[in-house]
Amino acid sequence: MGSQTFDKNVEAVFESVGVTRRDFMKFCGAMAAILGLPPVFASRIANAIEREIPFAGEKRPSVLWLNLQSCTGCTESFTRSDHPSIAEAVLTMISLDYHETLLAASGKSACQACESAMEENRGKYILVVEGAVPVSDDGTFCTIAGKSGVEYLKNMSEKAAFVIALGTCASYGGLPAAKPNPTAAQSVDEFVSPKTVVRIPGCPPIGDVLMATIVHFLFFGKLPALDSENRPQFAYGKYIHEQCRRHYHFENAEMVLGFNDDEYRGGYCLFPLGCKGAFTKNACSVMRWNMGTAWCVGSGHPCVGCSEKDFWDKFTPIYSLVEGRNPK
Ligand code: SF4
Ligand code: SF4
């Protein structure tokens, strides 16, 4: 951790974390594909990361990561994503100056690291927020070094270039905001105005989506295209239903009615078991998890709609159909 100048010999840096040139090029190819860019962009992204990014020769972009009312699953998802060593490499491309879970320092020195990074990178750093913001009882349900999370968020977002609300809790309130919401948990954007808050929802979110958003910013010097809810379009442009391998069975009304029936074994549509894929936008079926091998529906479980605003209060019970909604 800590600020470093951008070294031309990125390859050596990557090697030091066990990433070969081949892995690196594969990663750049994957990032280009995720961002919807033609394959030729893979080598351009590699060049940009190695030499041409807007920050070359300068200090690396500073990222401050604030954990509020969270389970730390979003951090786990990012650091243990499809390419764990690549995640480490991306963390080498940026300067992760503050992250409560990963920071080696603690107590006053951790707070000082945060304060100095904010001052040194005023108006330029990326603030990633994980978790919801509890506001009841003056925010006492989430405090950091004696100050409320709300206070931290307001202060840190004020000096940031932009904010990424990572995960469903930060994006929409998520589990902490589910009824009866005893801590009055809210989404991050309620406290960050008028700054751009990029939402990357999911419980947890897909680590590669955060990586691709950061790579896009490094490469183009700006954020990727966002939808009306400020989610990156490259990942949230389509419903899971539209990209599901079982869609053919949905069209033919070939449905699974029980977890142990022949239709289940045949890989038919899980809609009657409460699948929310028709109401959920995310790239799970395309990007997948566990080294690109698996995702919920692919593994035989209905989509629970974890990346949607209505998750928990309107998308539960998990194994029931969503009231008043029918897939198109
Ligand atoms: S979005 Fe899910 S994984 Fe992330 S902090 Fe909230 S509960 Fe945990
Ligand atoms: S309802 Fe679920 S299982 Fe069926 S096609 Fe849609 S996403 Fe796939």
Side-chain angles (χ1 to χ4, degrees):
M1 291 213 189
S3 304
Q4 301 162 42
T5 50
F6 200 90
D7 187 340
K8 276 190 181 175
N9 197 1
V10 171
E11 224 168 307
V13 176
F14 279 11
E15 266 172 26
S16 71
V17 291
V19 178
T20 63
R21 175 86 194 158
R22 191 184 163 90
D23 291 335
F24 175 52
M25 289 312 296
K26 225 170 129 186
F27 165 74
C28 293
M31 287 297 115
I34 290 169
L35 291 167
L37 300 169
V40 66
F41 271 79
S43 56
R44 291 193 199 163
I45 287 176
N47 284 341
I49 291 172
E50 288 175 325
R51 285 185 296 275
E52 295 165 10
I53 64 167
F55 304 94
E58 296 172 16
K59 216 158 120 1
R60 296 178 198 191
S62 175
V63 176
L64 278 67
W65 190 302
L66 182 62
N67 267 81
L68 296 178
Q69 206 171 20
S70 78
C71 72
T72 321
C74 299
T75 292
E76 286 283 338
S77 175
F78 180 60
T79 55
R80 293 168 201 273
S81 58
D82 275 3
H83 316 280
S85 52
I86 295 287
E88 211 172 316
V90 170
L91 294 177
T92 312
M93 280 154 42
I94 57 174
S95 179
L96 187 60
D97 291 322
Y98 182 72
H99 188 308
E100 287 142 15
T101 314
L102 303 179
L103 202 66
S106 60
K108 278 187 185 159
S109 43
C111 294
Q112 263 163 13
C114 183
E115 289 292 332
S116 329
M118 278 164 57
E119 280 318 311
E120 284 167 25
N121 304 286
R122 187 181 267 267
K124 291 189 200 153
Y125 62 84
I126 303 168
L127 176 63
V128 177
V129 187
E130 173 177 1
V133 195
V135 295
S136 69
D137 295 357
D138 291 328
T140 193
F141 291 99
C142 175
T143 59
I144 305 152
K147 287 186 197 159
S148 73
V150 191
E151 213 177 318
Y152 257 81
L153 174 60
K154 284 183 179 165
N155 188 26
M156 289 174 80
S157 60
E158 205 179 283
K159 296 164 195 154
F162 63 90
V163 178
I164 295 180
L166 185 66
T168 301
C169 297
S171 297
Y172 301 117
L175 177 62
K179 282 178 191 152
N181 192 358
T183 63
Q186 295 185 30
S187 57
V188 163
D189 62 304
E190 297 285 336
F191 307 92
V192 182
S193 173
K195 212 146 274 177
T196 303
V197 178
V198 181
R199 288 190 171 107
I200 301 185
C203 189
I206 301 173
D208 283 349
V209 176
L210 176 62
M211 274 196 240
T213 303
I214 292 174
V215 166
H216 190 284
F217 183 68
L218 294 176
F219 183 48
F220 292 107
K222 63 177 186 181
L223 289 168
L226 305 175
D227 69 6
S228 58
E229 292 192 28
N230 272 14
R231 301 172 294 190
Q233 267 174 7
F234 69 79
Y236 300 92
K238 287 189 175 162
Y239 287 102
I240 283 173
H241 189 60
E242 295 173 68
Q243 307 179 91
C244 178
R245 277 190 155 195
R246 297 175 189 241
H247 196 93
Y248 165 82
H249 295 298
F250 174 83
E251 293 289 345
N252 288 333
E254 294 166 348
M255 302 290 176
V256 174
L257 298 177
F259 278 112
N260 206 22
D261 64 18
D262 286 342
E263 286 74 17
Y264 182 77
R265 281 187 281 274
Y268 287 11
C269 176
L270 300 165
F271 183 70
L273 298 186
C275 184
K276 314 290 188 299
F279 318 109
T280 306
K281 286 186 172 175
N282 207 335
C284 308
S285 64
V286 181
M287 294 191 192
R288 303 184 183 185
W289 305 79
N290 302 327
M291 311 293 282
T293 56
W295 66 291
C296 303
V297 173
S299 303
H301 195 278
C303 167
V304 299
C306 77
S307 48
E308 284 297 312
K309 191 176 184 178
D310 293 334
F311 183 47
W312 288 111
D313 285 347
K314 292 192 185 158
F315 281 8
T316 48
I318 283 174
Y319 300 108
S320 299
L321 300 181
V322 188
E323 220 172 291
R325 294 203 201 187
N326 283 308
K328 309 207 168 51

